[in-house]
Amino acid sequence: MSVDKATVRRIAHLARIGVEEEELEGLSGELSSILNWIEQLHEVDTENVPPLASVNHATLLPREDVVNDGGDPDAVLANAPERHDDFFAVPKVVE
Amino acid sequence: MSAGELAGLGIAEARRRLAAREISSAELTADCLAAVEAADALNAFILKTPETATEMAAAADARLARGDGGLLEGIPLAIKDLFCTNGIATTTASRILDGFTPPYESTVTEKLFAEGAVMVGKTNMDEFAMGSSSETSAWGPVINPWRATGDNSQRSPGGSSGGSASAVAAGLALGATGTDTGGSIRQPASLTGIVGCKPTYGRCSRWGVVAFSSSLDHPGPMARSVEDTALLLQAMSGHDPKDSTSADVPVPDFAAAIPGDLKGLKIGIPREYRVDGMPDAVETLWSTGADWLRAAGAEVVDISLPHTKYALPTYYIVAPAEASSNLARYDGVRYGLRVAQADVNDMYAATRRAGFGAEVRRRVLIGTYVLSAGYYDAYYLKAQQVRRLILRDFEEAFERVDAILTPTAPEAAFAIGAKSDDPIAMYLNDVFTVPGDLSGVPGISVPAGLSAEGLPLGLQVMARAFDEETMFRVAGRIEDAAGFDAKPAAWWRGES
Amino acid sequence: MSANGQDLIQGASGEWEVVIGLEVHAQVASASKLFSGADTSFGAPPNSQVSLVDAAMPGMLPVINRICVEQAVRTGLGLGAAINRVSIFDRKNYFYPDLPAGYQISQFKNPIVGEGEVEIELADGRTQTVGIERLHLEQDAGKSLHDQHPNLTYVDLNRAGVALMEIVSKPDMRSAEEAGAYLRKLRAILRYLGTCDGNMQEGSMRADVNVSVRRPGAELGTRTETKNLNSVRFVEQAIHYEARRQVDLIEGGGQVVQQTRLLDTERGITREMRSKEEAHDYRYFPDPDLLPLELEEEMIARIRSELPELPDAKRARYVAELGLSDYDAGVLVAEKETADFFETVAAGREAKTVANWVMGDFFGQLNRSGLDVADSPVSAAQLGGLLDLLDDGTISQRIAKQVFETMFQSGEDARTIVEREGLTQVSDSSEIEALIDTVIAENPDRVAEIRGGKDKLVGWFVGQVMKASQGKANPQLVNQLLRDKLLAG
Ligand SMILES: [Mg+2]
Ligand SMILES: [Zn+2]
């Protein structure tokens, strides 16, 4: 599978990673060679093999419905790059 | 007592001396801190925490004096900078976390500190644990204390827990935490001549550990002996209700499981681990290791793990896919780096561009690609299916054998920069460790010999899920038989 | 309105049928969030109900809330739906400042609840079944405030991580009225079940409306999704506007584009959402931080056994057992609070009388004061007390209405008011006879007319006597005594 420059641009946008126009060529080559290597998986017969998302040795244990967290806006906001009052602030989003 | 002598003690021995009040944690910690100060050339630490360490040591001494010391009371450890530490900057070796100080403590470090451990600093690593050489750090590469015979060029300690590995190997701390996603504890342990253990998935909580690949990330210990590693794992393990994937199983006394012969145990030698281009020394060490286990009473048998060669490509779909999602939270909104832009999407793109290094960006792009519409089935779903086959390989093997012996890594420490331009060559370093992460079975690397160039080589023991006891016992016999006591020459000691 | 009761749209080129499906986001009634222990209550100061998990701090992990799971199961059972014993949480990946992790934990391929249905009633008395496609659990996002600063958006994460049930209907609705009836009915069911408070103003229920148009009976057309509508009126408004817009667009030679739209509630129009313009690729995959959710059969059985009586069953019972009309029963069950209120008053009392009072004076007063049943100053017990006074003859019907008004103003018990104001009905015949004699004495002309055969004037005398008694005289007694005096001789 070769990943062309347009695909790199699309993927980079989906991932919100800035990519310069000059980099596209190089990235396209790198990603293509990795994907080509990965494609040896297609040799494996996986007919009727159920996918394994995670090796789990646990069963999902629920929490009880009690309020025992939150209530400390300063802890939440302390690391904010931009804070206005008790809000996080970001460049204006146009809906 | 000469400088570094205390820092060079094993944990078990230091515990004995601390308990006997022959030494204090303050002295032991001061010796480690001095060693750390003199080892800047290794670039093993992102953040040194001498003041915290001194306070913790004093508190440990007070508890020791009262006779209520914990399992690791007063023992100085190095903490991989992937573990969030309350009130202490945590960077995961990335610019994206510039200025971030977590207001919380990871479960694993909390458990270690609750047992009295002392933190000397946060160790350098591959950015977001993505790498096998500890070269992708925003703070520059970690240097292996080991050098090849007659060659002063700098070697990589492996990665991603390279800072922890170098710190332990160079005697800057008595042990360390690491995380293993594709081999990131075991491979650097092998390359630096120490012991590193990746426990069963679910044994150690991931809460508070910066996530790389959630289904593959395994926190675990690194130390200079099998017993020390067992003690650390003991303190780090246990069910954590804050991590839904944490297993609610009892934590045995791992160190107590080490002694004893291997009578009645079957050890498997997987034929698929004999890969092309493996150096003779690795090949020879592997068969020597099998001989040692036979001599200790085990029966050694050939086994097959047929999907081994597909483990790496499976890993390079699963890990980047999960990472692409796990790293989406680094968006410049709530913490860490923000590169100002007038438009919010431009802000994201500029922040993530500046904050992530090249390897992280590459993996996020790959992960985004394999999950994207039209490619999910061909890549991600396929990888999940092959992952099932890899797990089945292990389940079937463990019906026949009690443990599996392999080399840890296909080669000894390589030169800094040797693989930087070839991602796949770098990935191949994890060929023997990745299957353990995909299947979740425990694995340990034990230093067992030296390469032709005089660099350490490790052997890996894997066992059934939650049977770390067998893993430690087999590892203990390798340690005994190998008698590995080589030390790197202390070339890094600055004349400060 | 066509023969089968569907609203068809009259276009320049003929009739069009509107096809509507709703995705309703209902906030699960729970104290804490879906995956964290932070508070869910409404109206707290910004970022004060945010755990580090909700803020997606590095290394934080989700742990599922037992009650949220049970509420989803309860809702599924209430909708007559299949409960899936194993369901899976997936990550839906996209960037938005109020989505802290860069993904929403949701359920994609394997939701907790499968197909079910909702029965709706329409104004003309028709009932209709709307299919439920699925119900899944997911996290809410935070709140973005775009109007607080000229070039910044403010983000409050209090809502981030609150549990939502997304209830997806089949495209079974054909008019705004049907969609409105469906939404009201769904809301009522959730409130009966106690799984969502249904408070649409506070955003506890929001609907995304999918609208397409087609020639009657033709293949489905391309749909648009108008998001986040928090009232029945807005849903209806959006449907009216979108249906008309799409018909005009197609008839003008254009094509409907599948897109996400917003309702401008002031202008009553929809417009494309700028932030959703790009083609979306959510890259769903199973959340590796969460294992598959496996439900025990016993848990499902327990919840099933605890299900309350739902509006349809209640309505049928009111008709069959209480003898109410279908219409009255329908009105009384439409809101859980009303039904609860009615049942409390009706316990041990005559159901039809109670129904008349609840739907008459009680609703009338509530409407005039703009109050809900829950905020009524007159409790069910107090209304019952009033009806008891009426029933045992202590007060007359007219006095009862007057007392009720006072109760509504003051919140006092009926008996207190009756006693203080001396409103007890006079049934003492000598007292009434004295009043009658006075009235007769003052109106000799009319007495003569009655005696001359104008019997109907008795009613006028009853009124005068009642007035003279300030309404307290027992009207039956007044009537009887007047007849005796005026007609007997
Ligand atoms: Mg929707
Ligand atoms: Zn939704």
Side-chain angles (χ1 to χ4, degrees):
Chain A
M1 178 65 67
S2 92
V3 183
D4 59 18
K5 294 204 302 191
T7 307
V8 176
R9 209 182 283 116
R10 182 174 65 82
I11 294 294
H13 177 65
L14 267 180
R16 298 296 188 276
I17 292 180
V19 174
E20 303 292 330
E21 196 60 29
E22 315 82 77
E23 291 175 285
L24 290 173
E25 191 72 54
L27 275 170
S28 146
E30 275 175 27
L31 301 188
S32 297
S33 72
I34 293 170
L35 288 164
N36 282 328
W37 170 70
I38 284 171
E39 270 168 25
Q40 56 182 298
L41 282 190
H42 295 292
E43 298 164 11
V44 186
D45 179 5
T46 51
E47 184 96 26
N48 299 322
V49 177
L52 177 70
S54 186
V55 179
N56 287 312
H57 300 288
T59 46
L60 198 56
L61 288 179
R63 312 177 355 256
E64 295 311 322
D65 182 29
V66 287
V67 176
N68 55 13
D69 204 348
D72 187 359
D74 283 329
V76 170
L77 290 152
N79 284 288
E82 192 168 0
R83 169 183 179 170
H84 282 226
D85 302 323
D86 278 351
F87 293 101
F88 296 101
V90 297
K92 194 166 203 92
V93 180
V94 183
E95 280 208 296
Chain B
M1 184 191 83
S2 66
E5 191 188 310
L6 291 179
L9 289 175
I11 294 173
E13 173 65 7
R15 284 181 73 212
R16 195 189 57 71
R17 292 213 216 164
L18 283 165
R21 319 280 296 134
E22 292 168 24
I23 57 169
S24 68
S25 177
E27 292 167 304
L28 176 59
T29 301
D31 201 40
C32 286
L33 292 174
V36 168
E37 262 325 300
D40 284 350
L42 298 177
N43 200 23
F45 287 87
I46 288 174
L47 182 70
K48 302 170 193 169
T49 55
E51 281 158 27
T52 304
T54 305
E55 282 167 26
M56 292 174 95
D61 281 329
R63 283 189 294 270
L64 285 164
R66 289 199 304 271
D68 61 357
L71 184 65
L72 299 172
E73 201 64 59
I75 304 294
L77 300 179
I79 302 298
K80 187 178 185 181
D81 203 25
L82 200 65
F83 290 81
C84 289
T85 40
N86 194 358
I88 293 169
T90 299
T91 71
T92 188
S94 182
R95 291 283 175 212
I96 201 89
L97 275 173
D98 260 2
F100 173 66
T101 302
Y104 49 92
E105 188 71 47
S106 83
T107 297
V108 160
T109 45
E110 184 157 298
K111 280 173 173 286
L112 288 169
F113 300 154
E115 291 293 344
V118 170
M119 175 171 73
V120 298
K122 305 288 295 283
T123 59
N124 202 355
M125 53 185 279
D126 281 301
E127 183 181 6
F128 276 97
M130 294 180 190
S132 308
S133 67
S134 301
E135 292 169 292
T136 68
S137 168
W139 279 263
V142 183
I143 307 303
N144 194 330
W146 288 84
R147 287 174 167 180
T149 315
D151 174 1
N152 280 349
S153 67
Q154 294 186 327
R155 301 267 159 178
S156 161
S160 65
S161 311
S164 287
S166 282
V168 172
L172 315 184
L174 277 62
T177 63
T179 59
D180 193 312
T181 303
S184 286
I185 287 175
R186 292 161 292 162
Q187 180 256 15
S190 178
L191 270 51
T192 58
I194 65 168
V195 180
C197 163
K198 178 205 86 76
T200 311
Y201 186 78
R203 179 69 93 179
C204 291
S205 169
R206 294 183 296 110
W207 193 88
V209 181
V210 177
F212 159 17
S213 174
S214 311
S215 79
L216 294 163
D217 293 343
H218 298 70
M222 306 170 90
R224 289 188 291 261
S225 73
V226 173
E227 184 184 13
D228 290 0
T229 306
L231 287 168
L232 289 177
L233 183 62
Q234 179 93 33
M236 293 166 69
S237 296
H239 178 240
D240 181 4
K242 292 189 287 190
D243 175 359
S244 298
T245 62
S246 163
D248 193 3
V249 295
V251 179
D253 183 342
F254 295 123
I258 300 170
D261 64 31
L262 305 181
K263 284 205 179 65
L265 285 189
K266 267 193 185 173
I267 312 289
I269 305 290
R271 68 178 70 101
E272 291 80 6
Y273 280 56
R274 229 169 286 276
V275 296
D276 290 345
M278 199 157 77
D280 288 346
V282 175
E283 183 90 45
T284 308
L285 184 65
W286 189 12
S287 53
T288 306
D291 292 341
W292 293 335
L293 299 183
R294 238 177 250 116
E299 181 188 348
V300 177
V301 297
D302 280 343
I303 58 165
S304 173
L305 297 167
H307 296 91
T308 299
K309 75 172 275 207
Y310 301 109
L312 272 177
T314 299
Y315 175 86
Y316 277 97
I317 292 172
V318 173
E322 293 183 9
S324 71
S325 178
N326 282 331
L327 271 57
R329 64 189 58 198
Y330 307 100
D331 59 2
V333 176
R334 295 165 315 287
Y335 45 78
L337 183 72
R338 172 186 296 188
V339 176
Q341 295 284 320
D343 173 86
V344 73
N345 279 313
D346 293 344
M347 185 277 279
Y348 289 146
T351 298
R352 290 162 62 80
R353 153 96 212 175
F356 294 142
E359 179 64 17
V360 172
R361 297 203 302 270
R362 179 154 52 216
R363 294 203 199 188
V364 169
L365 292 176
I366 289 276
T368 303
Y369 182 80
V370 298
L371 288 174
S372 66
Y375 300 102
Y376 183 91
D377 286 3
Y379 292 106
Y380 186 72
L381 192 67
K382 184 80 182 178
Q384 285 191 317
Q385 291 175 306
V386 179
R387 187 173 182 185
R388 167 88 56 192
L389 295 174
I390 290 165
L391 175 63
R392 278 185 195 162
D393 283 356
F394 278 97
E395 288 169 345
E396 283 162 20
F398 284 124
E399 282 172 19
R400 290 188 55 212
V401 300
D402 302 290
I404 292 170
L405 179 72
T406 77
T408 306
E411 58 181 335
F414 45 88
I416 294 284
K419 298 173 196 288
S420 306
D421 298 330
D422 185 352
I424 294 170
M426 182 72 85
Y427 300 169
L428 287 170
N429 233 268
D430 293 330
V431 63
F432 302 143
T433 46
V434 153
D437 293 296
L438 289 168
S439 60
V441 302
I444 189 169
S445 177
V446 185
L450 293 173
S451 70
E453 306 155 283
L455 293 167
L457 292 170
L459 286 175
Q460 172 177 231
V461 179
M462 290 183 277
R464 293 183 186 94
F466 296 106
D467 189 13
E468 282 90 351
E469 291 168 283
T470 298
M471 175 193 80
F472 277 123
R473 183 135 53 99
V474 175
R477 299 301 72 74
I478 291 172
E479 182 177 54
D480 296 344
F484 184 89
D485 57 4
K487 291 270 181 302
W491 56 264
W492 61 86
R493 278 188 189 273
E495 307 303 319
S496 56
Chain C
M1 190 84 65
S2 72
N4 64 355
Q6 294 176 356
D7 283 343
L8 293 180
I9 301 226
Q10 202 56 53
S13 62
E15 291 187 320
W16 295 84
E17 182 182 38
V18 194
V19 177
I20 302 155
L22 257 60
E23 294 165 22
V24 173
H25 286 95
Q27 179 177 334
V28 175
S30 65
S32 63
K33 295 183 180 180
L34 182 54
F35 296 112
S36 86
D39 200 327
T40 59
S41 35
F42 181 79
N47 290 305
S48 65
Q49 295 181 165
V50 181
S51 89
L52 301 175
V53 177
D54 308 321
M57 291 282 175
M60 294 298 95
L61 296 172
V63 183
I64 190 136
N65 180 331
R66 180 200 303 279
I67 292 302
C68 294
V69 172
E70 294 196 3
Q71 293 286 52
V73 170
R74 188 168 289 117
T75 305
L77 293 173
L79 297 173
I83 306 300
N84 293 324
R85 292 285 301 277
V86 178
S87 64
I88 291 179
F89 287 102
D90 296 286
R91 293 184 182 178
K92 178 181 182 178
N93 296 282
Y94 65 95
F95 284 87
Y96 202 83
D98 61 23
L99 184 72
Y103 56 83
Q104 176 195 32
I105 305 178
S106 181
Q107 296 189 301
F108 183 48
K109 284 191 192 144
N110 301 280
I112 184 166
V113 175
E115 295 188 337
E117 56 186 43
V118 168
E119 184 104 327
I120 59 172
E121 295 86 32
L122 300 162
D124 61 6
R126 268 186 309 132
T127 62
Q128 190 183 319
T129 301
V130 176
I132 299 289
E133 179 70 38
R134 59 184 281 158
L135 175 156
H136 66 255
L137 276 170
E138 63 182 26
Q139 303 174 294
D140 204 350
K143 194 171 173 187
S144 293
L145 295 91
H146 305 299
D147 53 2
Q148 305 286 304
H149 188 282
N151 38 35
L152 295 173
T153 288
Y154 285 2
V155 179
D156 170 13
L157 299 179
N158 281 350
R159 287 198 72 91
V162 164
L164 302 177
M165 296 178 282
E166 180 171 336
I167 303 166
V168 182
S169 84
K170 299 199 171 177
D172 284 353
M173 288 154 280
R174 296 291 177 270
S175 68
E177 189 207 352
E178 291 179 12
Y182 166 76
L183 193 55
R184 273 190 291 264
K185 184 60 175 287
L186 184 62
R187 179 174 175 276
I189 293 172
L190 299 182
R191 286 163 59 86
Y192 269 86
L193 291 166
T195 56
C196 171
D197 69 20
N199 191 330
M200 298 191 77
Q201 290 95 325
E202 291 180 1
S204 296
M205 261 182 97
R206 286 113 70 192
D208 300 344
V209 183
N210 291 295
V211 175
S212 63
V213 298
R214 63 179 177 188
R215 293 297 185 187
E219 297 265 289
L220 284 176
T222 304
R223 67 188 165 87
T224 61
E225 179 178 8
T226 306
K227 287 195 103 65
N228 256 329
L229 304 168
N230 68 346
S231 81
V232 172
R233 192 167 64 85
F234 293 155
V235 166
E236 291 172 342
Q237 208 173 23
I239 292 168
H240 285 307
Y241 182 81
E242 260 310 289
R244 178 44 68 186
R245 186 187 70 86
Q246 292 182 16
V247 166
D248 291 349
L249 188 62
I250 298 168
E251 291 191 331
Q255 265 190 329
V256 177
V257 183
Q258 182 163 352
Q259 60 187 192
T260 305
R261 301 180 69 88
L262 271 183
L263 178 70
D264 178 332
T265 54
E266 267 157 44
R267 297 201 287 158
I269 65 167
T270 68
R271 63 169 172 84
E272 183 174 5
M273 258 178 109
R274 296 259 309 266
S275 55
K276 299 269 178 178
E277 262 167 28
E278 59 179 275
H280 268 269
D281 185 343
Y282 291 121
R283 291 158 285 136
Y284 282 99
F285 74 107
D287 190 334
D289 288 331
L290 292 163
L291 314 178
L293 175 63
E294 296 179 27
L295 304 180
E296 304 278 341
E297 194 57 64
E298 301 84 82
M299 186 262 261
I300 300 171
R302 170 176 60 77
I303 293 173
R304 193 190 301 278
S305 73
E306 293 166 358
L307 283 184
E309 184 182 38
L310 292 175
D312 291 344
K314 210 179 259 302
R315 175 183 186 157
R317 179 168 63 83
Y318 285 5
V319 172
E321 292 179 16
L322 305 181
L324 301 189
S325 72
D326 197 52
Y327 175 81
D328 286 2
V331 171
L332 290 171
V333 304
E335 288 283 350
K336 181 179 189 300
E337 278 68 24
T338 310
D340 287 348
F341 189 94
F342 165 74
E343 287 186 24
T344 308
V345 183
R349 301 192 176 91
E350 212 275 309
K352 275 188 188 166
T353 308
V354 173
N356 288 338
W357 269 88
V358 169
M359 293 171 63
D361 295 77
F362 181 64
F363 278 7
Q365 282 288 1
L366 287 179
N367 280 342
R368 277 193 289 284
S369 343
L371 293 175
D372 287 330
V373 175
D375 318 315
S376 166
V378 177
S379 70
Q382 286 177 307
L383 177 57
L386 175 69
L387 298 188
D388 290 343
L389 293 181
L390 182 63
D391 187 52
D392 67 13
T394 307
I395 55 172
S396 65
Q397 179 80 14
R398 200 183 119 208
I399 292 290
K401 286 176 183 288
Q402 182 189 320
V403 169
F404 181 71
E405 269 181 50
T406 309
M407 290 170 76
F408 208 88
Q409 303 313 318
S410 69
E412 294 166 292
D413 284 349
R415 185 167 294 281
T416 310
I417 297 165
V418 167
E419 280 172 7
R420 184 179 62 231
E421 300 186 4
L423 299 174
T424 305
Q425 179 165 267
V426 177
S427 298
D428 175 343
S429 50
S430 63
E431 239 179 273
I432 293 174
E433 266 175 282
L435 289 171
I436 288 174
D437 292 344
T438 311
V439 173
I440 287 176
E442 284 169 357
N443 296 283
D445 301 353
R446 290 182 199 250
V447 172
E449 282 184 57
I450 288 179
R451 299 225 161 106
K454 264 192 130 178
D455 288 17
K456 292 223 168 95
L457 268 178
V458 173
W460 182 85
F461 275 93
V462 173
Q464 292 304 303
V465 175
M466 289 303 293
K467 204 184 207 171
S469 77
Q470 290 166 310
K472 291 184 285 183
N474 180 328
Q476 280 89 39
L477 200 55
V478 171
N479 200 330
Q480 189 55 51
L481 291 171
L482 269 170
R483 282 178 183 280
D484 291 349
K485 290 201 182 228
L486 294 172
L487 304 176

